[in-house]
Amino acid sequence: MAPPSLRGVLPVGLVLGLALLVLAAASLLVGVGDVGAPDILLASRVPRTLALVLAGAGMAVAGVIMQLVAQNRFVEPSTAGTAESATLGMLLVTLLAPDAPVMVKMLAATASALAGTILFLRVLRAMPLRDRLTVPLVGIMLGGVVGSASTFIAYRTDMLQFLGTWQAGDFSTVLRGRYELLWLAAILTLVAYGLADRITIAGLGRDAAINLGLDHRRTVAGAVAIVATITAVTIATVGAIPFLGLVVPNLVAMAAGDNLRRSLPLVAASGAGLLLLCDVLGRVVRYPYEIPVGTVMGVVGSALFLVLLLRRDSRHA
Amino acid sequence: MPSLKTTRRHLMALLLAMLCAAPATAEIVVQHTRGQTTLPATPKKIVVFDLAALDTLDALGVPVFGVAAGAKPPSLAQYNAPRYRPMGTLWEPDYEAINAAEPDLVVVGGRSGPRYEALAKMAPTIDLSSDPADPLGSELRNIRSLARLFGKEAEAEARIGRIQVGIASIHARAPQAGTALFVLSTGGRLSAFGPGSRFGLIHGALGFRPAATELGAGIHGQPIAFEFIARTDPDWLFVLDRDAAIGVRGQPARQLLDNELVRQTSAWRKGQVVSVDAASWYLAAGGLRALQTTVDQIAAALDGRR
């Protein structure tokens, strides 16, 4: 007999787990090289599959945390200025210290993502009216301002194609030894799981959370730090992945509700599964060439997003 | 498609020219990608928006007045000096500056080709973009056009002759040298280019057999993974490091390719991974000196001289 907190989640979890296994197997089997060659499997396929699982789970979890903290269903790193700020950080550190190790670049991107996200939350707090569409719109506008600054700097310094590689997620050059930074995203996902109950309560709003005895400020700060770091790590290693953090948490919430302790494993698994699916599609559509996963996710994710928008009743806003 | 208005203006200009035809000096007609431009005399004040043309003019010793700012091949680095008026960039000419300079000739091509219409309204302009259907042929034609314009035909022909001898010698040997794959790296990602593409010279005029036959002729190549290189297993891997070409310090192409999958290929094992001279292939491709550098480098690679 499952504990009460897991009731209703188990069947969904089982289906998801099975789907994830199938997709991971597909990701291991699909590609240009000969999968029978041990090098191809161990040096290329396995790392790529792992990277997809880690990045997918991380970005979906970052999305669900952002949604709770901003108390809005349509917020995620790419609609809160987080992703654009991380990219700006990457650009600046690449210009100022091109030879810096990737860890340093990632830290710069994290700091920048953190600043952008905090700015977004500050702006939200100052807004008198916060209905469900103005919040993401403000985030998108903020991201647009930061993004245009990046574009201007990149244009002036001949870095536009670099900018493109961070803006469009792509796993085509993932190999053994070149993706391990993403394990950091996995660790942070686990940390988020540990904080799940607190983040859920923080999602009830500041006053409610304080009444329940939660240190609201610290919880939000921790949650935002997790989101910024996961986003920065992902952008530094494989590039931005749009829509994932938006679509997956909403679909999971429909099936399993808003208790993060219950839904977070499902969000992580669905995020990994959806990203695997999109990347395998990108490898197959123009075989033997690749379509970057960011592009595929843009198509699939925006379609899912429209479905969500049209099917939602206002009760969930 | 010129608008009716410009056609009319051209006709008027032509009529005027015919009416007051008092040819103190012989007019010069230059054939180029977009037709022909008539110049009253040998131009003295030249503004260049194409690195291939700048490379050619520099090689022939023709002084220029202004150039586009931006990355230059090392051999043309002196043109970044302040005494050459910066005239905007290849993509964004500074129309004010050009208009004020009143040049006798503006040369566009390739990246700046789309600005032809706007510039032609200000000064006599020629477009020396290469023809994707016949890159080498059109590049040599452009070199000859410039040479003729400045009376440097003899020198240009001598140099073109050397280039053609080099190309013929490579073309005679390359087909027996195994298959080749041309890849470009930028920002840690890879694209492959095949026959008929922007870097199709390697398979076309130079005659290397393509390791991958399906690559289309897209300007930006096809995005690939390392598995593609392992699978096509070329005997020759030609690598263009775009970041190095434009002076951005990204991940060097060498480092990017030095991995388990590429090390298995025949090209890596035989030491036939050639980092092509980025300035000649990417920045000033088709210029008189760039072509010679390209020929020298590929010939050296075929001879096993690195």
Side-chain angles (χ1 to χ4, degrees):
Chain A
M1 191 68 216
S5 69
L6 289 179
R7 210 161 295 153
V9 173
L10 268 183
V12 182
L14 282 174
V15 171
L16 266 181
L18 204 63
L20 193 56
L21 281 177
V22 170
L23 287 165
S27 170
L28 289 175
L29 295 172
V30 172
V32 181
D34 171 16
V35 74
D39 281 5
I40 293 278
L41 190 65
L42 293 176
S44 167
R45 285 305 155 74
V46 171
R48 185 163 182 168
T49 305
L50 277 174
L52 286 160
V53 168
L54 299 178
M59 284 315 288
V61 167
V64 77
I65 294 175
M66 268 318 283
Q67 285 164 25
L68 283 165
V69 169
Q71 291 182 274
N72 184 292
R73 282 254 174 257
F74 294 131
V75 170
E76 65 127 14
S78 64
T79 60
T82 312
E84 288 81 2
S85 306
T87 306
L88 180 60
M90 276 304 278
L91 178 66
L92 292 176
V93 76
T94 304
L95 281 173
L96 300 172
D99 301 327
V102 70
M103 202 69 192
V104 173
K105 289 184 178 171
M106 191 218 81
L107 284 173
T110 304
S112 173
L114 207 53
T117 314
I118 290 168
L119 178 65
F120 169 69
L121 292 174
R122 280 283 157 87
V123 172
L124 277 197
R125 209 179 301 162
M127 275 169 41
L129 182 72
R130 279 189 265 171
D131 67 73
R132 70 179 183 157
L133 287 181
T134 44
V135 172
L137 277 177
V138 166
I140 290 168
M141 282 193 275
L142 186 70
V145 173
V146 176
S148 54
S150 298
T151 306
F152 176 75
I153 295 169
Y155 181 76
R156 289 279 163 187
T157 52
D158 244 336
M159 298 275 284
L160 275 176
Q161 282 194 328
F162 257 87
L163 201 62
T165 61
W166 298 317
Q167 284 170 340
D170 177 21
F171 287 76
S172 66
T173 51
V174 168
L175 287 174
R176 180 161 49 186
R178 295 193 186 173
Y179 77 101
E180 282 68 7
L181 202 58
L182 281 170
W183 284 105
L184 199 57
I187 293 167
L188 288 164
T189 308
L190 286 176
V191 172
Y193 190 61
L195 296 174
D197 290 337
R198 290 181 201 181
I199 297 174
T200 304
I201 293 173
L204 298 171
R206 187 169 169 276
D207 297 349
I210 290 174
N211 276 332
L212 288 167
L214 181 81
D215 187 340
H216 183 263
R217 176 186 282 265
R218 267 182 59 185
T219 307
V220 168
V224 169
I226 291 172
V227 169
T229 315
I230 291 178
T231 306
V233 167
T234 309
I235 284 176
T237 44
V238 291
I241 299 156
F243 288 113
L244 188 74
L246 188 66
V247 180
V248 169
N250 278 290
L251 291 173
V252 171
M254 283 181 181
D258 279 336
N259 180 343
L260 197 56
R261 162 104 20 226
R262 282 171 37 164
S263 66
L264 194 128
L266 302 182
V267 169
S270 314
L274 185 57
L275 196 61
L276 279 168
L277 177 71
C278 288
D279 191 62
V280 171
L281 277 179
R283 276 181 253 172
V284 171
V285 172
R286 292 193 62 234
Y287 187 90
Y289 315 117
E290 304 240 350
I291 297 179
V293 73
T295 311
V296 181
M297 183 59 82
V299 174
V300 174
S302 54
L304 280 171
F305 182 49
L306 283 177
V307 170
L308 280 179
L309 271 180
L310 298 173
R311 284 198 34 188
R312 278 208 97 76
D313 44 83
S314 47
R315 200 162 49 85
H316 287 291
Chain B
M1 189 67 201
S3 72
L4 203 59
K5 215 165 166 182
T6 54
T7 316
R8 197 173 319 145
R9 185 154 357 114
H10 284 168
L11 279 172
M12 292 289 288
L14 204 65
L15 272 171
L16 271 171
M18 283 157 117
L19 285 171
C20 39
T25 50
E27 284 187 341
I28 307 170
V29 178
V30 189
Q31 297 289 342
H32 57 89
T33 311
R34 292 172 195 254
Q36 56 185 51
T37 299
T38 307
L39 302 169
T42 301
K44 294 202 170 41
K45 209 179 202 186
I46 309 155
V47 172
V48 186
F49 279 98
D50 178 42
L51 289 170
L54 185 64
D55 183 46
T56 301
L57 292 171
D58 186 72
L60 297 174
V62 177
V64 304
F65 172 78
V67 295
K72 305 257 185 319
S75 60
L76 299 173
Q78 71 272 23
Y79 288 95
N80 279 334
R83 73 189 182 88
Y84 297 97
R85 302 303 157 76
M87 293 281 170
T89 68
L90 294 174
W91 294 269
E92 265 188 357
D94 183 346
Y95 296 114
E96 299 292 335
I98 295 159
N99 209 12
E102 296 183 338
D104 304 324
L105 176 69
V106 177
V107 184
V108 298
R111 298 170 178 92
S112 59
R115 304 284 165 266
Y116 172 81
E117 295 284 342
L119 289 164
K121 290 182 183 137
M122 299 179 185
T125 304
I126 58 174
D127 178 359
L128 296 183
S129 300
S130 65
D131 175 3
D134 178 21
L136 185 66
S138 57
E139 284 157 4
L140 294 178
R141 237 193 339 269
N142 288 336
I143 292 170
R144 290 189 169 114
S145 299
L146 285 173
R148 201 168 24 247
L149 182 54
F150 297 101
K152 305 268 185 183
E153 288 102 325
E155 190 179 345
E157 283 312 320
R159 283 169 175 264
I160 287 174
R162 264 182 59 208
I163 291 169
Q164 284 175 322
V165 167
I167 287 177
S169 135
I170 293 171
H171 194 99
R173 292 183 293 157
Q176 291 85 52
T179 59
L181 179 67
F182 193 105
V183 297
L184 175 144
S185 84
T186 184
R189 291 179 192 173
L190 292 172
S191 357
F193 291 78
S197 72
R198 175 178 184 175
F199 306 113
L201 181 81
I202 204 82
H203 303 300
L206 298 178
F208 281 88
R209 280 186 293 128
T213 44
E214 306 287 289
L215 290 161
I219 177 106
H220 288 297
Q222 301 287 1
I224 54 162
F226 295 110
E227 285 187 22
F228 181 88
I229 300 179
R231 182 61 178 266
T232 47
D233 192 15
D235 300 309
W236 291 86
L237 185 57
F238 295 99
V239 187
L240 172 56
D241 187 336
R242 181 188 167 276
D243 301 337
I246 59 170
V248 173
R249 278 190 293 170
Q251 189 181 17
R254 270 272 157 189
Q255 197 184 316
L256 184 71
L257 288 168
D258 187 0
N259 63 58
E260 293 164 278
L261 296 191
V262 178
R263 280 196 291 259
Q264 298 171 9
T265 58
S266 154
W268 191 278
R269 287 199 313 269
K270 294 177 184 166
Q272 295 182 158
V273 178
V274 183
S275 298
V276 297
D277 180 61
S280 317
W281 280 85
Y282 187 79
L283 290 178
L288 188 50
R289 229 187 254 129
L291 279 170
Q292 187 65 56
T293 308
T294 298
V295 168
D296 291 347
Q297 195 196 3
I298 304 297
L302 267 176
D303 295 342
R305 293 181 280 122
R306 277 300 135 76

